[in-house]
């Protein structure tokens, strides 16, 4: 089922991707427990379809792991960004995208393997980069917004910065067919 994010008067929606919540407050604040994304792997591929209402404002499609360790896929200034973070240092790549059209994005994150990480857009490999190590973390993950905090491209394009949910970067549009695999998908599989 597709997720229609932030339609109408609803703002700052997100889907928390943790699998265990002690109470409703934890669920509402994306403060659950579980190891869906917490355990390190040698490679992880995250992919989804999106149709953004706008691509010029900062909007999060997927976020894992927080500002010190993890990955994020987000929009800003007409581009889609894929970033990986370790030890408060982020590495990002980007590609031009458009609003009001369906697009497919995939981030293959192979830790710090030289040129082992890739950004795919609409089925084509558009960027190759050396990502940051995928390490153990206890931070949360979400679709459509920041779970709690993350590291993403600065709005002026000069580097990365920590962003918290109070700065929220809600995605306005539709997300569909979100998939995660702890393998490197090939160009043919993407």
């Amino acid at each position: 089922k597709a997720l229609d994010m932030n339609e109408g008067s609803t703002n700052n929606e997100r889907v928390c991707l943790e699998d265990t919540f002690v109470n409703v407050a934890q669920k509402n604040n994306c403060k659950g427990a579980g190891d869906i994304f917490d355990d390190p792997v040698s490679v992880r591929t995250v992919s989804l379809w999106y149709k953004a209402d706008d691509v010029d404002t900062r909007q999060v499609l997927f976020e894992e792991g927080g500002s010190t360790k993890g990955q994020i896929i987000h929009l800003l200034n007409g581009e889609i960004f894929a970033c990986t973070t370790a030890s408060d240092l982020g590495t990002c790549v980007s590609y031009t995208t458009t609003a009001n059209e369906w697009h497919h994005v995939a981030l293959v994150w192979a830790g710090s393997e030289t040129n082992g990480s890739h950004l795919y857009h609409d089925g084509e490999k558009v960027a190759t980069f050396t990502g940051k190590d995928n390490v153990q973390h206890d931070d949360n993950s979400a679709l459509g917004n920041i779970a709690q905090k993350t590291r993403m491209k600065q709005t002026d394009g000069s580097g990365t910065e920590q962003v918290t949910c109070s700065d929220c970067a809600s995605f306005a549009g539709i997300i569909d067919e979100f998939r995660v695999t702890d393998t490197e998908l090939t160009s043919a599989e993407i």
Side-chain angles (χ1 to χ4, degrees):
K1 180 178 178 182
L3 300 171
D4 196 349
M5 308 296 291
N6 297 310
E7 183 177 346
S9 62
T10 305
N11 291 314
N12 298 328
E13 284 185 290
R14 67 180 170 225
V15 175
C16 301
L17 299 175
E18 301 302 314
D19 59 352
T20 306
F21 301 98
V22 174
N23 55 44
V24 173
Q26 277 190 350
K27 186 173 184 177
N28 291 341
N29 293 309
C30 280
K31 292 186 178 180
D35 57 3
I36 295 172
F37 296 104
D38 296 350
D39 294 335
V41 295
S42 60
V43 65
R44 173 169 290 142
T45 301
V46 173
S47 67
L48 57 86
W49 285 90
Y50 69 97
K51 183 178 181 184
D53 296 343
D54 169 51
V55 294
D56 294 323
T57 59
R58 182 157 52 189
Q59 301 175 67
V60 173
L61 295 167
F62 167 73
E63 183 259 328
E64 170 199 346
S67 66
T68 59
K69 314 166 204 168
Q71 65 176 319
I72 185 167
I73 300 172
H74 71 94
L75 301 170
L76 176 65
N77 297 331
E79 295 182 273
I80 187 152
F81 287 84
C83 305
T84 64
T85 303
S87 303
D88 279 323
L89 299 172
T91 299
C92 298
V93 293
S94 66
Y95 188 74
T96 303
T97 191
T98 57
N100 300 309
E101 296 179 288
W102 279 104
H103 296 286
H104 184 262
V105 63
L107 169 57
V108 177
W109 180 21
S112 60
E113 178 185 325
T114 302
N115 293 323
S117 296
H118 312 285
L119 172 63
Y120 288 84
H121 194 259
D122 292 334
E124 295 193 31
K125 187 187 299 185
V126 296
T128 296
F129 66 107
T130 302
K132 300 297 182 183
D133 283 328
N134 182 338
V135 295
Q136 173 71 35
H137 64 79
D138 295 322
D139 295 313
N140 303 304
S141 305
L143 280 176
N145 206 333
I146 300 166
Q148 292 178 326
K149 59 186 175 182
T150 193
R151 183 160 293 281
M152 59 199 319
K153 196 69 174 175
Q154 289 180 334
T155 55
D156 67 4
S158 63
T160 62
E161 65 183 333
Q162 179 175 302
V163 179
T164 63
C165 195
S166 62
D167 305 318
C168 283
S170 298
F171 175 68
I174 303 170
I175 295 174
D176 202 4
E177 296 186 36
F178 171 69
R179 292 192 168 96
V180 177
T181 179
D182 289 339
T183 60
E184 180 176 351
L185 295 182
T186 66
S187 296
E189 292 170 318
I190 290 175

